[in-house]
Amino acid sequence: MTRVGTAGIERAPVNLFQDPVLRAEWDERAVAAPGGDMHQGGAFAADRVRRGIRVVPLYVDGAPLLVTVRRLPILGLGIASISRGPAVKADVAPEELVQIPELLRRVAHWLRREEGVVEMRVDTWAPDSAPLREAWSLAGFSPCEESFFSRHSMWIRASAVRGQSEEALFAQVNATKRNEVSAARRAGVSVRRLEAPDVVLLANVADIVNETAVRRGFATIDPARTLPTWSDLMRAGQMEVWLAELPDGTLAAVETALRHGERLTSHHAGSRDLGDRAPVGVVPLLRWTLINQARIEGRIADLGGADIAGHRQAPEPGDRMYGLYTFKRAFGASWVEMSGAHRIEVNPLGARLRAALRRVAGGAR
């Protein structure tokens, strides 16, 4: 099924994600390979299907690209989305980077012909640069709001350095966080990895994530939709769950991590509000464990973003996300500026009509 070097755009086999062999080959190239991302894989495709969203897997010049399409009832007027695709290597060459917008422009027009799409939105995980911004504009794209919580990210590249020792990497963590990690260990806090999906434990993890989200004013997750996807990702080897427990077995903090491309990415995290029962350093110990696991695997520790809608710059003192930003910096993470989400109208009249109908439908509710 390998299509490396094949020019043009073609649909993947209709049974791609039902056939274990075909799905594994797709995931190897779309998720595990350099630049790969979970949001381009079979587990994410299954999640979209469960939510009633059409999935259109393509090969573009021989490379896999997962597209989703939402259509309005009766009229169609589809809008396509591409999450974290095509694959962009962590150290992509500038000349490769600026080719992405033109490639995606071709995809958008193909989708207009084949799927009745009037607009396409993309959030390629590509580092920002002036040449890339110009390439987006020349290809007919304009910036739009993110579909993800953060536009940018914070990476620890040192964890991917070959031969890096745990001691050397730990020395790059600031003194306060090192002391907190050590305090948690002295208090008997243990961290373990959940090796396989466990329905009861995963439900507890989701509860802790939501408890923390409510406490901090973040968006919550829907366990009924999220837990099947977590289980699917774990079975595919694309996600792991870390559990921090007190000596008496109390589950105190949790973190999920995505294994894709060159990165181990912090995905969801949360902690119980245990008051005086909570030892110092539970969350820092959990975060350090994830970072060290990235070192063991030779991956970049991707700690996720610290920006929100309306404030996409690196947070400054007094900003809502400044505490999260400094927490991640304390572990040695650096701010990575990403290109962000973009959109292109391939049928401007249809796109305007779709937007108008959506506004009317929203007003009717």
Side-chain angles (χ1 to χ4, degrees):
M1 194 183 73
T2 301
R3 289 168 166 78
V4 176
T6 303
I9 301 173
E10 60 178 318
R11 296 180 188 271
V14 293
N15 65 333
L16 170 66
F17 295 126
Q18 288 72 47
D19 184 310
V21 175
L22 296 181
R23 175 169 169 167
E25 182 177 339
W26 175 281
D27 280 358
E28 180 63 30
R29 297 179 58 200
V31 180
D37 195 283
M38 176 277 286
H39 298 90
Q40 283 288 300
F44 183 74
D47 176 272
R48 300 295 94 175
V49 170
R50 282 193 293 270
R51 296 170 190 256
I53 301 171
R54 177 169 168 76
V55 173
V56 184
L58 303 175
Y59 288 99
V60 182
D61 298 341
L65 185 68
L66 186 67
V67 181
T68 61
V69 177
R70 290 181 173 88
R71 294 193 179 99
L72 293 181
I74 304 175
L75 292 177
L77 301 176
I79 182 167
S81 299
I82 300 175
S83 296
R84 304 304 195 227
V88 178
K89 298 176 184 177
D91 295 309
V92 61
E95 58 270 21
E96 295 179 39
L97 194 60
V98 296
Q99 295 175 15
I100 291 172
E102 175 57 24
L103 179 148
L104 291 173
R105 185 197 66 79
R106 290 167 46 210
V107 171
H109 285 277
W110 186 94
L111 289 167
R112 177 187 179 181
R113 295 192 303 272
E114 299 291 326
E115 293 285 335
V117 162
V118 298
E119 178 183 331
M120 186 175 81
R121 298 183 182 185
V122 301
D123 49 13
T124 299
W125 205 225
D128 192 32
S129 68
L132 181 56
R133 289 194 293 273
E134 181 181 8
W136 282 122
S137 179
L138 290 173
F141 286 86
S142 58
C144 62
E145 186 47 66
E146 306 301 310
S147 57
F148 288 84
F149 179 77
S150 296
R151 170 175 174 171
H152 309 294
S153 194
M154 297 186 72
W155 287 3
I156 303 175
R157 285 183 173 270
S159 60
V161 174
R162 187 183 298 274
Q164 179 79 277
S165 70
E166 180 177 357
E167 294 75 14
L169 189 60
F170 193 54
Q172 298 181 36
V173 177
N174 79 11
T176 299
K177 288 294 175 279
R178 292 200 307 270
N179 290 337
E180 290 175 352
V181 169
S182 299
R185 286 172 171 161
R186 287 195 302 270
V189 177
S190 61
V191 177
R192 64 184 177 95
R193 179 167 53 183
L194 186 60
E195 299 290 347
D198 179 307
V199 174
V200 175
L201 264 178
L202 288 181
N204 287 340
V205 170
D207 286 344
I208 294 174
V209 168
N210 279 340
E211 177 186 319
T212 305
V214 170
R215 195 165 64 237
R216 296 184 176 178
F218 296 159
T220 57
I221 58 175
D222 179 356
R225 288 182 168 182
T226 301
L227 295 186
T229 302
W230 282 2
S231 296
D232 203 7
L233 287 167
M234 292 181 73
R235 284 189 289 267
Q238 296 169 17
M239 192 185 96
E240 56 193 36
V241 180
W242 294 90
L243 313 170
E245 297 168 321
L246 304 187
D248 64 2
T250 299
L251 184 56
V254 299
E255 185 150 10
T256 69
L258 301 174
R259 181 183 289 103
H260 48 191
E262 305 95 322
R263 297 169 289 135
L264 188 63
T265 300
S266 175
H267 190 41
H268 290 103
S271 60
R272 292 282 192 204
D273 186 0
L274 298 175
D276 295 338
R277 292 183 57 211
V280 172
V282 173
V283 172
L285 174 60
L286 187 58
R287 179 55 56 91
W288 165 250
T289 302
L290 187 150
I291 293 168
N292 191 47
Q293 183 63 31
R295 179 197 65 83
I296 292 169
E297 298 182 18
R299 297 177 184 273
I300 293 169
D302 177 1
L303 304 191
D307 59 291
I308 56 176
H311 194 136
R312 294 302 184 186
Q313 296 78 34
E316 297 179 351
D319 291 341
R320 177 185 169 192
M321 302 298 286
Y322 185 69
L324 181 61
Y325 173 68
T326 56
F327 177 79
K328 295 178 179 182
R329 283 189 62 188
F331 286 94
S334 298
W335 181 267
V336 181
E337 195 90 5
M338 292 297 183
S339 178
H342 288 75
R343 64 188 288 270
I344 184 172
E345 293 182 353
V346 288
N347 179 346
L349 180 60
R352 288 195 292 273
L353 176 58
R354 187 183 195 279
L357 291 172
R358 295 274 294 177
R359 285 195 296 270
V360 169
R365 291 195 296 270

